[in-house]
Amino acid sequence: RKEVEQDPGPFNVPEGATVAFNCTYSNSASQSFFWYRQDCRKEPKLLMSVYSSGNEDGRFTAQLNRASQYISLLIRDSKLSDSATYLCVVIVDSWGKLQFGAGTQVVVTP
Amino acid sequence: GAGVSQSPSNKVTEKGKDVELRCDPISGHTALYWYRQSLGQGLEFLIYFQGNSAPDKSGLPSDRFSAERTGGSVSTLTIQRTQQEDSAVYLCASSVYGEAGKLFFGSGTQLSVL
């Protein structure tokens, strides 16, 4: 089993709609979680951290479910510019080693 | 510039040749990572440097791959006797100590082995 798993998608979303997807992790000792965004043929960029209590950044909401070992990302009022691959990132040890998921592709359509 | 710089941006080489890829991290960032990404695939961890500690080399796919980081700054990833399956985008990222999840990536080196 992979340490970090994501549904590859694509999630085809009409503009203005809401989309949500999860990322599961296998190491119950993992402490820190992040969402990155990667546009086609570009480098990944940090979208947001995921806090235990859940957090929101504009139209984006991240949640952590420790009991079931997954994090989620919800995008409200989707924009065409939200089309990208969303990468889940987990810090897997105390030294700070990161593990990336393979990404979930989101395609927002007019 | 203030970002992570990688060079070259593109490298075409013949099978069996050695290549060197360079990464210049953001000044003051103690952590440096190398990843590679094949077309349509996720990021594959290669190696991780943190300050003066011994690097985590657990992701290097074979002994043809090596990396060093001089003076806690610039890093070079070397691939010896390149194979076609080495073709990928090689991404470097750096972060501040204590903020391991907040990586800043370079724009990558596209390696093509013919």
Side-chain angles (χ1 to χ4, degrees), chain B:
Chain B
V4 176
S5 177
Q6 290 189 247
S7 60
S9 56
N10 280 282
K11 177 70 176 179
V12 180
T13 190
E14 294 179 350
K15 178 181 173 181
K17 300 285 189 182
D18 298 352
V19 295
E20 283 191 355
L21 313 180
R22 177 188 167 104
C23 173
D24 200 342
I26 294 173
S27 177
H29 282 197
T30 59
L32 187 148
Y33 301 77
W34 282 99
Y35 291 87
R36 73 175 175 181
Q37 188 172 34
S38 300
L39 191 62
Q41 303 298 311
L43 274 71
E44 178 187 1
F45 167 76
L46 297 177
I47 189 169
Y48 166 41
F49 296 89
Q50 175 58 274
N52 295 320
S53 302
D56 179 346
K57 305 180 181 180
S58 61
L60 295 178
S62 77
D63 58 8
R64 296 187 296 105
F65 289 72
S66 63
E68 63 177 24
R69 188 178 184 192
T70 53
S73 182
V74 171
S75 177
T76 302
L77 177 68
T78 301
I79 309 173
Q80 296 178 311
R81 305 181 303 281
T82 52
Q83 304 294 313
Q84 289 183 331
E85 60 264 27
D86 299 335
S87 297
V89 175
Y90 288 79
L91 289 162
C92 174
S94 68
S95 69
V96 173
Y97 180 75
E99 296 192 346
K102 299 180 180 179
L103 297 185
F104 292 82
F105 281 85
S107 53
T109 293
Q110 172 71 64
L111 176 65
S112 300
V113 182
L114 304 179

Side-chain angles (χ1 to χ4, degrees), chain A residues 25-97:
Chain A
Y25 59 95
S26 60
N27 187 341
S28 60
S30 299
Q31 294 297 313
S32 302
F33 310 88
F34 305 84
W35 284 105
Y36 277 69
R37 170 197 172 123
Q38 185 173 26
D39 293 307
C40 187
R41 299 185 185 278
K42 297 287 189 181
E43 71 273 19
K45 292 184 179 179
L46 177 65
L47 178 66
M48 59 195 301
S49 305
V50 184
Y51 301 124
S52 297
S53 56
N55 50 299
E56 197 173 296
D57 183 359
R59 298 180 294 107
F60 297 82
T61 300
Q63 296 280 354
L64 168 62
N65 186 316
R66 287 195 182 276
S68 300
Q69 294 183 207
Y70 71 87
I71 64 172
S72 64
L73 182 66
L74 182 146
I75 308 173
R76 286 186 302 278
D77 187 23
S78 297
K79 310 292 184 189
L80 295 177
S81 57
D82 294 334
S83 296
T85 296
Y86 291 85
L87 305 172
C88 166
V89 177
V90 177
I91 294 184
V92 298
D93 64 29
S94 58
W95 205 41
K97 179 179 175 181

